Amino acid sequence: MTNHLSELSRLGVSVWLDDLSRERLEGGGAQSLASLIAQDHVVGVTTNPSIFAAALSEGTRYDADLAALAADGADVATAITSLTTADVRAACDRFTEIHARTDGVDGRVSIEVDPYLAHDTDGTLAQARELWQLVDRPNLLVKIPATPEGLPAITAAIAEGISVNVTLIFSLDRYRAVAAAYLDGLERAHAAGLDLSTIHSVASFFVSRIDTAVDAELDALGTEEARALRGQVAVANARLAYEAYEEIVGTERWAALAAAGARPQRLLWASTGVKDRAYRDTKYVEELVVPGVVNTMPEATLRAVADHAELRGDTVRDGYDAAREVLAALERLGISYPDIMDRLEAEGVQKFQQSWDELTERVSAGLKVPGRL
């Protein structure tokens, strides 16, 4: 049977796993990180508070560390940092060979700053520095949200040589602001004499959540024109983000940075698990194939792609005009694109904060009663 993940990789899409746990790191079998790397062409990992909360809720692999932290009198915040950075450091080490083979482009593992800092520029930058130092691996990406307050933190982190995964990007305008923040940081790093070739970044552009939000508005309208737009807006939005990326790397400003050794900030398709069963479970992979991007997938999506994806080559660059028409049709229906994107960003921060609360509760319980979560 053909593993379509191999074909996807051949088409220039880096396959990353949107999950991490100690069970994946230390266990065996097809679900282990080692197997996913060896058999399923996985060349990177993304994490978030939801993923760590889920990891801590299952099994006993964290019990010994929790017991040791409790014996040392660690508080909850210290324990969370210790546990998550240990897992991310171990994952980085699993990707050492891929990181070297791809000249630092892949073999990347992400860790997110506390989502309660999403509107705190100085706090975000301080924790980005802390995580970068604690994990102490060149293939780390520190995740910083693309909130207005996150943008200057992104610039400052890049300027210091910290590689960044910019998360929670929904709108095209915000993506352009993220790209500008990256270029600003690279220029500052270059002025400071840093080696730009060692600084990497991805811009995580969220996909399926957009269709979930827009489809609800379309269903409320209930017209034939509204029904015709269901499931189209997220892909159209992402395709236009890639068009913007092409415009950015075609500027003289980028050319000057590239000549100094800078790496492009790759687009990463996030939130690629399908939430509407009316759609193919491989939709947000098949319809967003283009060289030089990352697609980070939950394991269920990754398995679906491996089994039955229908890959048709580049499905992005010939679709710019059609994508613009989709967004224009949305506006004609009276559905505000900016309002939906603003709402999704606010909800995204809130959801990660809720997951952080769950993670805090689980670690707190583990510290109070070692060996139990």
Side-chain angles (χ1 to χ4, degrees), residues 311-354:
L311 301 173
R312 309 180 299 278
D314 186 335
T315 53
V316 171
R317 286 183 288 193
D318 286 341
Y320 296 153
D321 289 341
R324 272 188 285 276
E325 175 53 30
V326 167
L327 296 192
L330 189 70
E331 292 290 343
R332 286 197 299 270
L333 288 170
I335 298 174
S336 172
Y337 171 92
D339 288 352
I340 287 176
M341 299 304 157
D342 288 347
R343 186 174 82 234
L344 283 169
E345 180 183 294
E347 289 175 352
V349 171
Q350 184 179 42
K351 286 177 182 178
F352 279 161
Q353 289 174 343
Q354 291 169 347

Side-chain angles (χ1 to χ4, degrees), residues 213-276:
V214 172
D215 286 357
E217 301 268 355
L218 295 170
D219 290 344
L221 288 176
T223 65
E224 184 176 345
E225 185 181 3
R227 287 192 293 271
L229 277 184
R230 289 190 94 258
Q232 293 194 48
V233 173
V235 168
N237 197 47
R239 286 172 175 165
L240 293 176
Y242 192 83
E243 182 184 42
Y245 164 82
E246 288 189 308
E247 292 170 357
I248 291 160
V249 298
T251 62
E252 291 183 5
R253 184 184 186 192
W254 172 251
L257 286 165
R263 310 297 187 101
Q265 183 185 52
R266 292 191 294 168
L267 274 165
L268 179 151
W269 309 133
S271 181
T272 56
V274 171
K275 297 175 175 59
D276 189 329

Side-chain angles (χ1 to χ4, degrees), residues 78-94:
T78 300
I80 289 174
T81 300
S82 176
L83 295 171
T84 57
T85 55
D87 280 5
V88 168
R89 188 182 305 109
C92 284
D93 290 344
R94 294 293 177 92

